[in-house]
Amino acid sequence: MGSEVKPGRGLKSWAQRHLNAGFAAGFLLVLLTYLIFSQQFAISAPNAVTRKSARAADKQVIKAPGGTVNEDDRIEVNMLERVNRVSNDRLYKEGERKREQEWQPKETEVPVPHKETSGAVPTESPKRDATDAKPSETGKVVCSKNGPYSDTCDVDGDVRTNGTALSVTLVPASWSERHEWKIRPYTRRFMTGIQEVTVTQLGSPQEDAPQCTITHDVPAVLFALGGLTGNYWHDFSDVLVPLFVASRRYGGELQFLVSNIQPWWLGKYEAIVRRLSKYDAVDLDRDKQVRCFRHVTVGLRMHKELSIVPEWAPGGHRLSMADFTRFLRETYALPREAPLSLRQFPDKKPRLLLIHRAHYRRFVNVPEIMQAAASAGFEVAVANPRGDAPVDEIARQVNSYDVLLGVHGAGLTNALFLPAGAVVIQVVPYGKLEDMARKDFGEPVADMGLRYLEYSVAAEESTLLEMLGPEHPVIKDPESVHRSGWDKVAEFYLGKQDVRIDINRFAPTLAQALDHLRHQ
């Protein structure tokens, strides 16, 4: 015989069962709605270019033996730095470009109390054996870590460098607050593989400090090689131009302290380095000496790509890119200071040098381009400079021309050796690369005192059209490729593209170059 159910208890069980059922149905409805909307927003356009991570983009950089970048096989723009510095969602945002142009240096200065001195002994050599640093009347550390590219410190006073420890120490004359900075002495702060230098201002003279084994009577500049050096454009943009700015005011009377030293690199650019410093560079990583100086600059400051902002030059010296190219002409004894003036010599033909790349981003119709330039009134030659060619040999060749023509790439760096007032024609590959092209070459060329002309390749002039077809997003929607990330931009527009110049479309650019020389 079954038990009797009480009315109150039955009503409660019935309500609970229906409440549970309602809750379950509501949950299923919400889940179904979420799935429908999430699927709608997850749908991507057909043939969309997929996005890779920054780690994958890092792997795009091809390193040659010894850690240097192979100039022919690697993508010749500063990929590592851009992947880190610029968001993968948009290459060269106009807002970031404007921020970099308008940025002004902000420095942190830490003074050290005045130190009384007595009887400093002068020397005739730039260095001498010593057990302690020469007394200094001043002491301070000025560090800048807010620039668009680089971190630097200027250290004045009783400064001691310990190469094996990668440290720079300022010993104060009396009690002071202790400070410490970490500086990557390469011009691009996001560059991987570059060891940091520790810059320390001690709290008092009694605090432990490395004892000097050599004291120098000249200042020092401490910088690192490696990174993207080995690529011709980066050699100048990342090292030689900033090194010129940091050291030119000393007239060769300074010491270079080089971390991650590359002997082959110093050999290749020996003429430039020797004019900036009269003394052999110190291999800092293997230097067991404690060297003492009155002034050390730690790191090189890059103002902008392959150029100089005169107002930012140290010591009140308003150096410019025109000063740097003049310095190069003097260094390599280049004979021409100015291009051919058709106004003075109307019967002569100006000379045009076409830079022909061996690999990607090649001209595929060189004979037609040469014929068009000759018909416009130029004497034309083609060059494919080898990566191992002596710089002085390349410099003399380029200096003998009035116009330099080439697709965006390291070869256009040779504009540095043109006479002032000459013309550079940059052919910008298809793919909305104009901002990058102007930043890497357009603005620097103008700063050198040269005439800059730009020719942008149309889709019909790109071999990518034949390779991928007109409906591929690389052709149809370059903006989507830029949104996908820098690695895809580099892969297609820089790494797989050659150009076939439309001669009729290119003719007005040649006419502009000729017209400029008529007014020289």
Side-chain angles (χ1 to χ4, degrees), residues 308-326:
I308 300 168
V309 177
E311 294 79 11
W312 297 355
H317 294 73
R318 291 175 60 89
L319 296 171
S320 67
M321 274 305 286
D323 293 322
F324 182 70
T325 54
R326 188 180 305 110

Side-chain angles (χ1 to χ4, degrees), residues 8 44 65 93 95 139 171 222 238 249 282 284 298 332 376 387 391 509:
S44 57
K93 291 180 180 178
V171 181
L222 190 160
D238 294 17
R249 56 180 166 154
V282 173
L284 194 63
V298 182
Y332 292 111
V391 179
T509 304

Side-chain angles (χ1 to χ4, degrees), residues 324-341:
F324 182 70
T325 54
R326 188 180 305 110
F327 167 80
L328 291 179
R329 290 195 295 272
E330 294 170 357
T331 299
Y332 292 111
L334 304 182
R336 302 180 74 219
E337 294 286 337
L340 174 68
S341 171

Side-chain angles (χ1 to χ4, degrees), residues 385-463:
R386 306 187 323 273
D388 60 349
V391 179
D392 59 341
E393 180 181 302
I394 297 172
R396 282 192 296 272
Q397 181 185 16
V398 173
N399 183 253
S400 67
Y401 287 85
D402 307 294
V403 179
L404 187 68
L405 164 65
V407 180
H408 176 84
L412 287 177
T413 309
N414 290 305
L416 290 162
F417 306 119
L418 286 171
V423 182
V424 175
I425 304 174
Q426 177 175 205
V427 175
V428 182
Y430 181 73
K432 291 192 178 296
L433 303 180
E434 284 75 14
D435 281 351
M436 180 186 70
R438 288 166 194 156
K439 187 171 186 178
D440 290 351
F441 289 107
E443 294 174 12
V445 161
D447 292 344
M448 295 174 202
L450 305 173
R451 177 76 164 95
Y452 174 69
L453 298 176
E454 186 175 286
Y455 179 84
S456 293
V457 169
E460 292 74 20
E461 297 172 285
S462 171
T463 57

